[in-house]
Amino acid sequence: MDYTPGYLELYEGGELDLRIELAYKKLERCDLCPRQCGINRLKGERGFCRSGEELMVSSFGPHFGEESELVGHGGSGTIFLTHCNLKCNFCQNYDISHLGCGDEISLERFAQMILQLQNIGCHNINFVTPTHFVPQILAGLKEAIEKGLALPLVYNCGGYETLETLKLLEGIIDIYMPDAKFWNPQVAERFAHAPDYPQVIAEALKEMYRQVGDLIIEKGLAKKGLLVRHLVLPQGLAGTDQIMPFIAKHLSKDTYVNIMAQYRPLYQARDDPLINRPITRREYEEAQEIARKEGLHRGFY
């Protein structure tokens, strides 16, 4: 059975217009993310993420390096949005997140990008670091819907989300794909200047799961649900031994969890003695063992 994204119904009923209005209102005293900068982005003021009113995109195209359930044969239609509300000091995309490499584009151009990805055969539209651009994404989405968009939407984020912003996305986002990065406030402060990250990610994961549930896969392709990413850090600093029990207990043992081994000391991490080396094979295996012990079984092998 073909999957019909929920945003089509919200568009038809006029609810999408209301969500756009509410989202843009937040830009007047920006509180889209837990940073709560309170600046007026509509008047050119810039907060932690350094984003203004205009949407910024660094690149877009079919991505074949994502999870196989997103990639299929046509790729995941990925749009890399410029800047970030988290800015981890080890970010592999630091030129985008920290340095702001990208271009301001119109909502019309954004909609064209989305439709181009659909037209070349991508299986979904994958918004990377979308949190600080939720209003603009919703507005561009409306234009794309009016011109035939019908693919699942992926919200590919760092997990540093407010419940209020996530609720604006209910029924619009099909696949939530957050990172679950840290579980220790001191670690989160050291690497992302976000000591509240553990508390925030716990509530965000529960809300995402409430909205979309376990990942649904049809004919090998993800259609709807939660897909959690967890990057293993050296010396157990990612808090795997606490994150996996939380997921199993408060979400579901059927949660799809991608336990990732690709950590490398990039950007500022090269100068931090705690994380200035790749992880070992044993560290990665231990992370998998923790997940299996908690009964988790999807997304890793």
Side-chain angles (χ1 to χ4, degrees):
M1 183 175 66
D2 291 335
Y3 175 73
T4 301
Y7 58 77
L8 295 177
E9 182 178 347
L10 295 184
Y11 168 77
E12 292 292 340
E15 175 66 19
L16 182 56
D17 286 322
L18 177 59
R19 303 282 185 91
I20 294 170
E21 180 181 350
L22 291 172
Y24 266 95
K25 188 72 175 174
K26 293 172 97 44
L27 293 180
E28 294 178 3
R29 291 183 56 82
C30 192
D31 61 354
L32 284 169
C33 87
R35 300 285 180 190
Q36 303 287 295
C37 294
I39 48 89
N40 191 334
R41 287 171 56 183
L42 301 179
K43 291 186 176 181
E45 296 177 2
R46 310 272 172 156
F48 180 88
C49 73
R50 308 307 299 161
S51 302
E53 179 180 2
E54 300 302 320
L55 189 66
M56 287 190 71
V57 170
S58 297
S59 65
F60 78 106
H63 195 338
F64 292 90
E66 303 283 51
E67 287 77 357
S68 61
E69 292 83 357
L70 296 178
V71 169
H73 60 81
S76 179
T78 304
I79 301 178
F80 283 91
L81 298 154
T82 310
H83 299 304
C84 180
N85 71 327
L86 204 51
K87 296 185 180 178
C88 302
N89 68 354
F90 53 79
C91 182
Q92 65 180 6
N93 295 320
Y94 64 87
D95 56 331
I96 298 172
S97 60
H98 286 252
L99 305 183
C101 295
D103 298 302
E104 291 187 351
I105 64 169
S106 67
L107 295 179
E108 180 182 10
R109 176 60 184 139
F110 184 59
Q112 290 172 351
M113 289 178 177
I114 292 172
L115 292 169
Q116 183 176 338
L117 292 169
Q118 176 173 268
N119 292 339
I120 64 176
C122 292
H123 301 292
N124 47 70
I125 304 299
N126 184 347
F127 301 119
V128 182
T129 57
T131 310
H132 49 294
F133 284 127
V134 163
Q136 297 89 335
I137 289 172
L138 295 182
L141 178 63
K142 179 183 176 182
E143 292 196 26
I145 292 170
E146 291 171 345
K147 296 178 181 177
L149 177 66
L151 292 179
L153 303 180
V154 182
Y155 193 82
N156 184 342
C157 67
Y160 199 50
E161 310 288 327
T162 68
L163 297 184
E164 292 78 11
T165 296
L166 289 175
K167 287 175 181 177
L168 286 176
L169 298 170
E170 184 169 4
I172 295 172
I173 296 301
D174 302 281
I175 300 167
Y176 280 108
M177 188 162 66
D179 291 320
K181 292 176 178 287
F182 321 109
W183 210 255
N184 181 293
Q186 287 73 40
V187 171
E189 168 64 21
R190 178 162 181 157
F191 299 144
H193 301 291
D196 60 340
Y197 182 90
Q199 176 184 350
V200 168
I201 187 64
E203 295 305 314
L205 287 174
K206 288 190 287 186
E207 174 61 19
M208 292 175 184
Y209 184 77
R210 182 192 70 80
Q211 290 186 22
V212 298
D214 291 318
L215 191 66
I216 297 171
I217 299 171
E218 295 178 359
K219 297 180 180 179
L221 291 173
K223 298 297 182 179
K224 181 179 181 179
L226 176 65
L227 190 164
V228 179
R229 286 174 162 175
H230 178 68
L231 180 67
V232 181
L233 294 176
Q235 305 184 67
L237 289 168
T240 309
D241 58 344
Q242 294 171 294
I243 290 174
M244 297 304 150
F246 175 87
I247 291 172
K249 179 179 180 180
H250 295 283
L251 304 183
S252 163
K253 292 184 178 181
D254 291 325
T255 301
Y256 189 112
V257 182
N258 181 1
I259 300 175
M260 301 186 295
Q262 67 260 42
Y263 175 77
R264 298 292 184 274
L266 299 174
Y267 196 42
Q268 297 164 343
R270 299 185 185 100
D271 301 318
D272 190 320
L274 286 182
I275 54 171
N276 64 355
R277 64 166 176 82
I279 65 168
T280 65
R281 181 178 182 84
R282 183 56 192 153
E283 285 172 328
Y284 181 65
E285 291 174 346
E286 286 175 350
Q288 290 184 311
E289 289 170 5
I290 290 168
R292 291 192 186 97
K293 182 179 178 181
E294 296 300 325
L296 299 168
H297 59 95
R298 300 180 72 197
F300 60 97
Y301 307 97

